[in-house]
Amino acid sequence: MISAREALDHLREGNRRFASGIRSHDTLTSEARRHELVAGQNPCTIILGCSDSRVPVEIIFDQGLGDLFVIRIAGNIVSPSQIGSVEFAAERFGTPLVVVLGHSQCGAVLATLEELARPTKNQSQNLRSIVDRIRPSVETLLTTELKDDPDALLQHAVRANVRLSADHLRHGSEILEQLIHDDQLLIVGAEYSMETGIVDFFDNAQESN
Ligand SMILES: [Zn+2]
């Protein structure tokens, strides 16, 4: 298995290809790879990303079959089933890297900000369960001058939400804590910019250097 640092470099290179409009041969012709993978998988990275249709992770990192173990949920939030999925891949496959991937213009984060500004009475319980997990990270931003600048507020809120999810994964599971302690797992936070196509690994990625 490769190291977390190598896995991170791999993603950075793939994203660079994507942002410059290059699609690699491997991700286009995957028939041989598909046959190869029937026997088992060995993904380099676990990604917890948002469900947003504009952020398909394999495409923005220019990766193919078997490369990424992907969990997608609106607002890239962490609840027990997300933790369980990460535990499963980290333990079963020895995957060394987890990336929590937020993105610019995130509708789930925006919906949370709107809910905090103007609470609705009849919001569905299921939707509320998502908003409630985003809320703690963005609530404090509304007490700063950012509250008067909607664009800046959303930008900060997206990153705050990524940091919260990454911390939740780092400390919400004994299994993951142990793997991190033993240097077998690195959890980093990143943001994908729809405007540029570039992923910025802004949270704890330096630890792997
Ligand atoms: Zn989103």
Side-chain angles (χ1 to χ4, degrees):
M1 178 48 78
I2 65 170
S3 69
R5 158 102 198 251
E6 287 167 329
L8 203 50
D9 286 345
H10 205 62
L11 290 181
R12 283 198 171 107
E13 283 160 23
N15 178 239
R16 231 171 271 142
R17 288 194 297 275
F18 166 76
S20 37
I22 302 165
R23 187 111 199 246
S24 66
H25 192 67
D26 286 352
T27 61
L28 292 173
T29 55
S30 51
E31 197 184 330
R33 184 79 177 121
R34 176 164 57 82
H35 287 300
E36 219 176 88
L37 285 164
V38 172
Q41 60 173 317
N42 196 14
C44 301
T45 302
I46 301 162
I47 308 238
L48 172 63
C50 182
S51 304
D52 196 301
S53 64
R54 300 164 292 180
V55 195
V57 285
E58 282 89 351
I59 294 176
I60 67 168
F61 287 116
D62 189 36
Q63 301 295 302
L65 297 179
D67 292 330
L68 304 177
F69 188 94
V70 180
I71 305 148
R72 285 177 71 182
I73 181 162
N76 41 271
I77 57 160
V78 173
S79 66
S81 51
Q82 278 78 50
I83 297 178
S85 299
V86 173
E87 285 177 349
F88 172 76
E91 280 207 308
R92 180 71 63 98
F93 313 121
T95 306
L97 177 68
V98 179
V99 177
V100 176
L101 183 68
H103 65 95
S104 60
Q105 313 300 334
C106 182
V109 174
L110 187 61
T112 304
L113 290 169
E114 285 169 355
E115 179 64 25
L116 285 169
R118 285 175 301 278
T120 47
K121 279 205 183 97
N122 300 318
Q123 191 180 44
S124 113
Q125 250 186 358
N126 306 309
L127 253 178
R128 184 170 295 277
S129 73
I130 293 179
V131 166
D132 281 348
R133 289 195 183 269
I134 299 174
R135 182 197 302 264
S137 62
V138 304
E139 223 160 22
T140 49
L141 296 176
L142 289 168
T143 62
T144 69
E145 71 272 19
L146 283 169
K147 70 178 188 315
D148 302 319
D149 184 344
D151 290 342
L153 177 64
L154 181 58
Q155 280 169 22
H156 281 77
V158 163
R159 292 198 172 211
N161 181 49
V162 166
R163 285 195 190 92
L164 182 76
S165 286
D167 279 340
H168 198 154
L169 284 180
R170 290 182 190 117
H171 304 294
S173 150
E174 279 177 29
I175 291 172
L176 299 183
E177 262 190 2
Q178 190 61 47
L179 287 169
I180 292 167
H181 180 263
D182 296 342
D183 273 335
Q184 289 180 38
L185 188 70
L186 178 72
I187 298 177
V188 306
E191 182 189 4
Y192 168 69
S193 162
M194 275 185 203
E195 294 77 3
T196 64
I198 290 169
V199 174
D200 180 14
F201 294 87
F202 67 91
D203 182 61
N204 276 17
Q206 73 283 355
E207 276 182 15
S208 66
N209 291 319

